[in-house]
mmCIF file of all heavy atoms in Angstrom:
data_model
loop_
_atom_site.group_PDB
_atom_site.id
_atom_site.type_symbol
_atom_site.label_atom_id
_atom_site.label_comp_id
_atom_site.label_asym_id
_atom_site.label_seq_id
_atom_site.Cartn_x
_atom_site.Cartn_y
_atom_site.Cartn_z
ATOM 1 N N GLU A 29 32.334 9.780 -1.354
ATOM 2 C CA GLU A 29 33.622 9.953 -1.983
ATOM 3 C C GLU A 29 34.621 8.901 -1.523
ATOM 4 O O GLU A 29 35.494 8.512 -2.294
ATOM 5 C CB GLU A 29 34.137 11.364 -1.719
ATOM 6 C CG GLU A 29 33.318 12.421 -2.462
ATOM 7 C CD GLU A 29 34.016 13.760 -2.500
ATOM 8 O OE1 GLU A 29 35.251 13.778 -2.453
ATOM 9 O OE2 GLU A 29 33.301 14.765 -2.572
ATOM 10 N N ALA A 34 38.110 4.250 -2.791
ATOM 11 C CA ALA A 34 38.460 2.854 -2.537
ATOM 12 C C ALA A 34 38.326 2.030 -3.812
ATOM 13 O O ALA A 34 39.182 1.190 -4.111
ATOM 14 C CB ALA A 34 37.585 2.282 -1.427
ATOM 15 N N PHE A 38 41.290 -0.044 -5.787
ATOM 16 C CA PHE A 38 41.140 -1.503 -5.819
ATOM 17 C C PHE A 38 41.564 -2.027 -7.180
ATOM 18 O O PHE A 38 41.161 -1.515 -8.213
ATOM 19 C CB PHE A 38 39.677 -1.861 -5.534
ATOM 20 C CG PHE A 38 39.387 -3.327 -5.543
ATOM 21 C CD1 PHE A 38 39.929 -4.155 -4.579
ATOM 22 C CD2 PHE A 38 38.570 -3.883 -6.504
ATOM 23 C CE1 PHE A 38 39.652 -5.518 -4.570
ATOM 24 C CE2 PHE A 38 38.283 -5.235 -6.509
ATOM 25 C CZ PHE A 38 38.834 -6.055 -5.536
ATOM 26 N N ARG A 50 27.979 -13.681 -8.322
ATOM 27 C CA ARG A 50 29.134 -14.543 -8.587
ATOM 28 C C ARG A 50 29.502 -15.298 -7.325
ATOM 29 O O ARG A 50 29.643 -14.708 -6.256
ATOM 30 C CB ARG A 50 30.325 -13.706 -9.036
ATOM 31 C CG ARG A 50 30.166 -13.195 -10.440
ATOM 32 C CD ARG A 50 31.393 -12.578 -11.021
ATOM 33 N NE ARG A 50 32.615 -12.807 -10.271
ATOM 34 C CZ ARG A 50 33.597 -11.926 -10.216
ATOM 35 N NH1 ARG A 50 33.486 -10.773 -10.830
ATOM 36 N NH2 ARG A 50 34.684 -12.186 -9.535
ATOM 37 N N ALA A 51 29.678 -16.596 -7.464
ATOM 38 C CA ALA A 51 30.059 -17.427 -6.323
ATOM 39 C C ALA A 51 31.424 -17.007 -5.804
ATOM 40 O O ALA A 51 32.340 -16.741 -6.566
ATOM 41 C CB ALA A 51 30.078 -18.892 -6.733
ATOM 42 N N ALA A 53 32.294 -14.275 -4.275
ATOM 43 C CA ALA A 53 32.588 -12.847 -4.307
ATOM 44 C C ALA A 53 32.474 -12.235 -2.911
ATOM 45 O O ALA A 53 31.832 -12.786 -2.022
ATOM 46 C CB ALA A 53 31.618 -12.137 -5.252
ATOM 47 N N ASP A 57 27.852 -4.436 1.360
ATOM 48 C CA ASP A 57 26.482 -3.958 1.540
ATOM 49 C C ASP A 57 26.538 -2.524 2.062
ATOM 50 O O ASP A 57 26.803 -2.295 3.230
ATOM 51 C CB ASP A 57 25.753 -4.877 2.528
ATOM 52 C CG ASP A 57 24.374 -4.385 2.890
ATOM 53 O OD1 ASP A 57 23.868 -3.446 2.241
ATOM 54 O OD2 ASP A 57 23.801 -4.942 3.832
ATOM 55 N N PRO A 67 10.217 -1.996 4.698
ATOM 56 C CA PRO A 67 10.734 -3.182 4.013
ATOM 57 C C PRO A 67 11.259 -2.833 2.622
ATOM 58 O O PRO A 67 10.795 -1.879 1.989
ATOM 59 C CB PRO A 67 9.530 -4.109 3.916
ATOM 60 C CG PRO A 67 8.612 -3.656 5.003
ATOM 61 C CD PRO A 67 8.823 -2.164 5.102
ATOM 62 N N GLU A 74 14.799 -9.603 -3.665
ATOM 63 C CA GLU A 74 15.161 -10.827 -4.385
ATOM 64 C C GLU A 74 16.595 -10.738 -4.918
ATOM 65 O O GLU A 74 17.365 -11.692 -4.821
ATOM 66 C CB GLU A 74 14.180 -11.036 -5.538
ATOM 67 C CG GLU A 74 14.392 -12.317 -6.293
ATOM 68 C CD GLU A 74 13.345 -12.508 -7.382
ATOM 69 O OE1 GLU A 74 12.149 -12.329 -7.103
ATOM 70 O OE2 GLU A 74 13.750 -12.842 -8.509
ATOM 71 N N ASN A 75 16.968 -9.586 -5.467
ATOM 72 C CA ASN A 75 18.320 -9.380 -5.988
ATOM 73 C C ASN A 75 19.350 -9.500 -4.874
ATOM 74 O O ASN A 75 20.370 -10.186 -5.023
ATOM 75 C CB ASN A 75 18.404 -8.012 -6.663
ATOM 76 C CG ASN A 75 19.740 -7.749 -7.307
ATOM 77 O OD1 ASN A 75 20.771 -7.765 -6.645
ATOM 78 N ND2 ASN A 75 19.726 -7.485 -8.592
ATOM 79 N N ALA A 81 23.432 -15.066 -1.215
ATOM 80 C CA ALA A 81 23.557 -16.521 -1.242
ATOM 81 C C ALA A 81 24.825 -16.961 -1.974
ATOM 82 O O ALA A 81 25.426 -17.979 -1.630
ATOM 83 C CB ALA A 81 22.328 -17.137 -1.904
ATOM 84 N N ASP A 98 15.967 1.838 13.713
ATOM 85 C CA ASP A 98 15.434 2.330 14.986
ATOM 86 C C ASP A 98 15.356 1.253 16.060
ATOM 87 O O ASP A 98 15.674 1.498 17.209
ATOM 88 C CB ASP A 98 14.048 2.943 14.788
ATOM 89 C CG ASP A 98 14.095 4.237 14.001
ATOM 90 O OD1 ASP A 98 15.191 4.825 13.873
ATOM 91 O OD2 ASP A 98 13.039 4.651 13.503
ATOM 92 N N ALA A 102 14.380 -7.320 11.950
ATOM 93 C CA ALA A 102 14.576 -7.717 10.571
ATOM 94 C C ALA A 102 13.351 -7.339 9.755
ATOM 95 O O ALA A 102 12.225 -7.570 10.175
ATOM 96 C CB ALA A 102 14.820 -9.217 10.476
ATOM 97 N N CYS A 105 13.913 -8.856 4.074
ATOM 98 C CA CYS A 105 15.049 -9.559 3.478
ATOM 99 C C CYS A 105 16.347 -9.081 4.130
ATOM 100 O O CYS A 105 17.135 -8.414 3.497
ATOM 101 C CB CYS A 105 15.096 -9.330 1.981
ATOM 102 S SG CYS A 105 16.463 -10.165 1.182
ATOM 103 N N HIS A 108 22.712 -11.031 6.140
ATOM 104 C CA HIS A 108 23.499 -11.491 7.278
ATOM 105 C C HIS A 108 24.968 -11.190 7.015
ATOM 106 O O HIS A 108 25.620 -11.924 6.290
ATOM 107 C CB HIS A 108 23.269 -12.986 7.521
ATOM 108 C CG HIS A 108 21.851 -13.311 7.843
ATOM 109 N ND1 HIS A 108 21.321 -13.159 9.100
ATOM 110 C CD2 HIS A 108 20.848 -13.743 7.062
ATOM 111 C CE1 HIS A 108 20.041 -13.486 9.079
ATOM 112 N NE2 HIS A 108 19.732 -13.837 7.858
ATOM 113 N N ALA A 109 25.438 -10.083 7.571
ATOM 114 C CA ALA A 109 26.823 -9.658 7.329
ATOM 115 C C ALA A 109 27.678 -10.022 8.535
ATOM 116 O O ALA A 109 27.204 -10.211 9.613
ATOM 117 C CB ALA A 109 26.872 -8.163 7.077
#
Side-chain angles (χ1 to χ4, degrees):
E29 291 195 28
F38 180 66
R50 286 190 12 213
D57 174 11
E74 184 177 313
N75 184 301
D98 291 344
C105 180
H108 299 279

